[in-house]
């Protein structure tokens, strides 16, 4: 029974870690999609501010 509880705790921790990684990936994907959109519109997207490349 103790071994089963240990395994469940470990799976819960793995699940939390996976959720954090997925959230981080979603943020990175959003940033990249914004950057691509800005580049397609002729801007350089260096960070929070847009700089015209024209």
């Amino acid at each position: 029974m103790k071994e089963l509880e240990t395994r469940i705790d470990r799976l819960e921790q793995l699940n939390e870690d996976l959720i954090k990684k997925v959230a981080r990936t979603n943020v990175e994907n959003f940033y990249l999609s914004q950057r691509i959109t800005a580049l397609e519109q002729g801007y350089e997207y260096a960070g929070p501010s847009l700089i015209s490349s024209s």
Side-chain angles (χ1 to χ4, degrees):
M1 188 67 165
K2 180 71 175 163
E3 181 182 332
L4 184 56
E5 289 175 2
T6 303
R7 290 177 68 186
I8 290 172
D9 289 343
R10 179 69 182 137
L11 285 173
E12 287 174 344
Q13 182 62 48
L14 288 171
N15 191 40
E16 288 177 18
D17 292 344
L18 183 59
I19 289 169
K20 290 176 185 176
K21 288 178 182 179
V22 168
R24 187 178 308 121
T25 300
N26 285 340
V27 169
E28 291 172 1
N29 283 341
F30 177 75
Y31 169 79
L32 289 174
S33 71
Q34 294 299 305
R35 186 173 176 193
I36 288 168
T37 300
L39 290 172
E40 287 174 345
Q41 294 174 356
Y43 290 92
E44 294 179 17
Y45 192 83
S49 61
L50 290 174
I51 304 164
S52 177
S53 61
S54 307

